[in-house]
Amino acid sequence: MTTELDLTLTRRVAASPATVYRCWTEPELLKQFFAPKPGRTVDAKLDVRPGGAFYTKMVFEEYGEIESEGCYLIVEPAKRLVFTDCLSADFRPSAQPFFTADLNFIETEEGCEYNVIARHASAESVKRHEEMGFHEGWGTVARQMAEIAEAIERG
Amino acid sequence: MTTELDLTLTRRVAASPATVYRCWTEPELLKQFFAPKPGRTVDAKLDVRPGGAFYTKMVFEEYGEIESEGCYLIVEPAKRLVFTDCLSADFRPSAQPFFTADLNFIETEEGCEYNVIARHASAESVKRHEEMGFHEGWGTVARQMAEIAEAIERG
């Protein structure tokens, strides 16, 4: 279920839900698509279990380094991955809460429907996320992710 | 694992982990102990599953009504219950994030060791929670809870 406090994005990928899930949970795969190019993801530590922490560091020529930290909430292989920056390792409250990402990997005839819901506390947070470029950023990342997942399945 | 950003409380209860867990997850039981007396818990809605919301309303003569809302994170019957006010239903970020409660129900020869870890984002939040009366409040609630759990097992 979504509300006006959510931003959403959907993309069809010609790869199985299991492969798309792998792209999100294996650091060496995540690093290949997580930053919109020409940005680069130079570090990724993913403790993929409820209460486990994630850490990523991206580098952009125009912005410098951007680090992201958070906590996994729901871990359902090949199906769903939910994480939030409102919490850190062991579900500890974080200093800079902003949004929860609810990623769903739905099996289709062609492969997978990849569905992102970004949940926010307020209309102000939604607006800020839109202004930060949610649709372009997550859209580019979804395209880059699809390329990796499809290349894996082509072997 | 705990750190200086945690507040903790432990109490031995002469009742099984399953019964103590019931006290925390059944609204009609929770309402009997959740507010330090003479405070009263007049409402409790508990959607006990990861991503489910909890809502409680307590009434105190000196403070008036106090409502609490949050989200369950870990639900392990008779073993562990983790919830946070940093998130609401469906893991949506909340407007007033403060702490995560990690309740553990550990089987002992006499019944159950009930162990609370309250996790915070900062030393300021820890201090605030202490000044709000964490130790007295949660201590009184633990005693009240033990009385209910022990009465259930006496039948």
Side-chain angles (χ1 to χ4, degrees):
Chain A
M1 202 185 65
T2 61
T3 77
E4 73 283 4
L5 297 180
D6 300 322
L7 293 171
T8 62
L9 178 142
T10 296
R11 187 184 172 103
R12 290 182 170 270
V13 185
S16 67
T19 298
V20 176
Y21 179 85
R22 274 187 63 197
C23 290
W24 271 96
T25 53
E26 296 184 16
E28 292 313 311
L29 295 178
L30 187 93
K31 285 159 77 172
Q32 294 178 50
F33 74 84
F34 190 65
K37 290 174 187 172
R40 290 175 301 128
T41 305
V42 295
D43 198 1
K45 295 184 180 75
L46 314 176
D47 184 8
V48 188
R49 59 183 175 87
F54 70 80
Y55 168 82
T56 58
K57 187 196 281 188
M58 297 185 283
V59 179
F60 297 92
E61 196 163 315
E62 65 268 53
Y63 306 119
E65 288 183 1
I66 297 182
E67 292 176 299
S68 300
E69 292 185 78
C71 180
Y72 292 101
L73 301 169
I74 296 273
V75 173
E76 295 179 7
K79 194 169 170 199
R80 190 178 177 208
L81 193 63
V82 182
F83 51 91
T84 187
D85 62 13
C86 298
L87 302 172
S88 56
D90 294 328
F91 305 115
R92 179 179 305 289
S94 72
Q96 300 282 344
F98 182 45
F99 82 109
T100 295
D102 190 339
L103 310 188
N104 294 272
F105 314 105
I106 301 149
E107 192 163 16
T108 63
E109 275 194 23
E110 302 79 27
C112 177
E113 182 185 300
Y114 163 69
N115 177 20
V116 176
I117 307 168
R119 301 192 195 278
H120 306 82
S122 66
E124 290 67 35
S125 288
V126 172
K127 185 156 177 273
R128 183 176 146 218
H129 211 167
E130 282 182 318
E131 289 171 355
M132 285 165 66
F134 171 83
H135 294 287
E136 304 84 336
W138 282 75
T140 299
V141 167
R143 179 175 53 73
Q144 295 177 170
M145 183 207 73
E147 289 167 4
I148 305 288
E150 290 163 3
I152 289 171
E153 297 219 342
R154 280 195 304 271
Chain B
M1 202 185 66
T2 61
T3 76
E4 72 284 2
L5 297 179
D6 300 323
L7 293 171
T8 64
L9 178 143
T10 297
R11 185 182 173 105
R12 289 180 172 274
V13 185
S16 67
T19 298
V20 175
Y21 179 85
R22 274 188 61 198
C23 291
W24 271 96
T25 53
E26 295 183 16
E28 291 314 311
L29 296 177
L30 186 93
K31 285 160 78 171
Q32 295 178 51
F33 74 85
F34 190 65
K37 289 175 185 168
R40 291 174 302 128
T41 306
V42 297
D43 198 3
K45 295 185 180 74
L46 314 177
D47 184 9
V48 188
R49 61 184 174 86
F54 70 81
Y55 168 81
T56 59
K57 187 196 280 188
M58 299 185 283
V59 178
F60 298 93
E61 197 163 312
E62 65 267 53
Y63 306 118
E65 289 183 0
I66 297 181
E67 293 176 299
S68 299
E69 293 185 79
C71 180
Y72 292 101
L73 301 169
I74 296 271
V75 173
E76 296 179 8
K79 196 170 167 198
R80 190 179 177 207
L81 193 63
V82 182
F83 52 91
T84 187
D85 63 12
C86 298
L87 302 172
S88 56
D90 294 329
F91 305 115
R92 180 179 305 288
S94 72
Q96 300 282 344
F98 183 43
F99 81 110
T100 295
D102 190 339
L103 310 187
N104 294 271
F105 314 105
I106 301 150
E107 192 162 17
T108 63
E109 274 192 23
E110 303 79 25
C112 177
E113 182 185 299
Y114 164 68
N115 177 22
V116 176
I117 308 169
R119 301 191 195 278
H120 306 82
S122 65
E124 291 67 35
S125 287
V126 173
K127 185 156 178 276
R128 183 176 146 218
H129 210 168
E130 282 181 319
E131 288 170 357
M132 286 165 67
F134 171 83
H135 294 288
E136 305 84 337
W138 281 75
T140 299
V141 168
R143 179 175 53 72
Q144 295 178 168
M145 181 205 74
E147 288 167 6
I148 305 288
E150 290 163 4
I152 289 171
E153 296 220 342
R154 278 195 306 271

